[in-house]
């Protein structure tokens, strides 16, 4: 691990995309912490010509700016390491949302497949001749509603509830 050194804040370039991610409440918390105990974690910067480009530590940099500091502790990292940093690691809520949407898509596809198989079964049942040797629960019009075939759900939540009730995998 490279040794932290002091960098002039005005020489550090921050991209517009990074600036949009600034949370003022986080900057204020970090600024208070820096006032109390000093800067504990260095920022990461890389060289780009004659300027430094911020790789990691946006809120620490902004907190030092807000406190009127002219320098900040940082670590100089090679450009190769700066490029391999995953974008979603900075924003776990994006990854959680992506997982949630993938799960909802899977549930929707499973529901559509279940409905398609139900329709296919009902088409086959109406086309096949019925043998009435014994009268079962399905053929009994006086059977209780809980023991007859369930209606197809109208929403995804209804379908999930139906699947839970019947022990199906959802």
């Amino acid at each position: 691990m490279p040794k932290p050194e002091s960098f002039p804040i005005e020489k550090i370039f921050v991209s517009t995309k990074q600036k949009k991610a600034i949370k003022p409440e986080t900057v204020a918390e970090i600024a208070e912490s820096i006032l109390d105990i000093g800067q504990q974690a260095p920022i990461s910067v890389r060289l780009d010509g004659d300027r430094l480009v911020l790789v990691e530590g946006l809120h620490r940099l902004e907190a030092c700016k807000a406190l009127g500091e002219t320098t900040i502790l940082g670590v100089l990292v090679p450009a190769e390491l700066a490029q391999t940093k995953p974008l979603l690691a900075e924003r776990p809520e994006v990854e959680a949302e992506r997982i949630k949407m993938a799960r909802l898509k899977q549930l929707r596809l499973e529901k559509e497949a279940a409905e398609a198989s139900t329709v296919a079964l009902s088409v086959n049942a109406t086309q096949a001749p019925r043998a009435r040797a014994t009268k079962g629960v399905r053929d009994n019009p006086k059977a209780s509603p809980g023991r007859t075939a369930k209606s197809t759900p109208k929403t995804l939540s209804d379908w999930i509830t139906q699947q839970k009730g019947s022990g199906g995998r959802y």
Side-chain angles (χ1 to χ4, degrees):
M1 175 95 185
K3 189 172 183 174
E5 53 187 289
S6 184
F7 294 103
I9 290 178
E10 71 272 356
K11 296 255 187 207
I12 299 173
F13 171 77
V14 180
S15 69
T16 307
K17 185 176 181 182
Q18 284 179 314
K19 286 180 182 177
K20 290 180 181 179
I22 293 176
K23 296 179 183 174
E25 60 277 357
T26 305
V27 172
E29 288 175 14
I30 293 173
E32 286 179 30
S33 173
I34 289 175
L35 281 176
D36 291 341
I37 59 174
Q39 182 185 351
Q40 299 297 308
I43 64 170
S44 298
V45 292
R46 66 177 173 85
L47 277 175
D48 183 27
D50 61 339
R51 68 179 180 178
L52 297 166
V53 178
L54 182 70
V55 175
E56 188 176 9
L58 174 66
H59 290 98
R60 285 170 276 169
L61 177 66
E62 291 300 318
C64 285
K65 281 182 184 177
L67 293 172
E69 297 288 331
T70 56
T71 61
I72 187 169
L73 280 177
V75 176
L76 191 61
V77 296
E80 299 85 38
L81 292 178
Q83 298 300 325
T84 60
K85 182 181 173 190
L87 294 176
L88 292 177
E90 295 176 315
R91 303 191 52 205
E93 64 274 5
V94 172
E95 180 65 13
E97 185 68 19
R98 187 191 64 74
I99 290 170
K100 177 182 166 188
M101 295 306 291
R103 180 70 179 143
L104 285 174
K105 180 180 179 182
Q106 179 185 1
L107 287 172
R108 182 178 50 81
L109 291 173
E110 287 177 3
K111 177 187 174 195
E112 289 172 359
E115 287 174 351
S117 66
T118 304
V119 168
L121 286 175
S122 65
V123 167
N124 287 341
T126 57
Q127 292 175 352
R130 290 187 176 207
R132 295 211 173 223
T134 60
K135 195 166 196 170
V137 174
R138 288 186 178 166
D139 298 330
N140 186 353
K142 294 181 182 177
S144 65
R147 297 192 59 175
T148 58
K150 295 188 179 189
S151 63
T152 57
K154 295 192 179 0
T155 65
L156 181 60
S157 346
D158 293 340
W159 181 80
I160 292 172
T161 305
Q162 181 184 11
Q163 290 294 312
K164 283 182 181 177
S166 64
R169 186 180 149 278
Y170 65 94

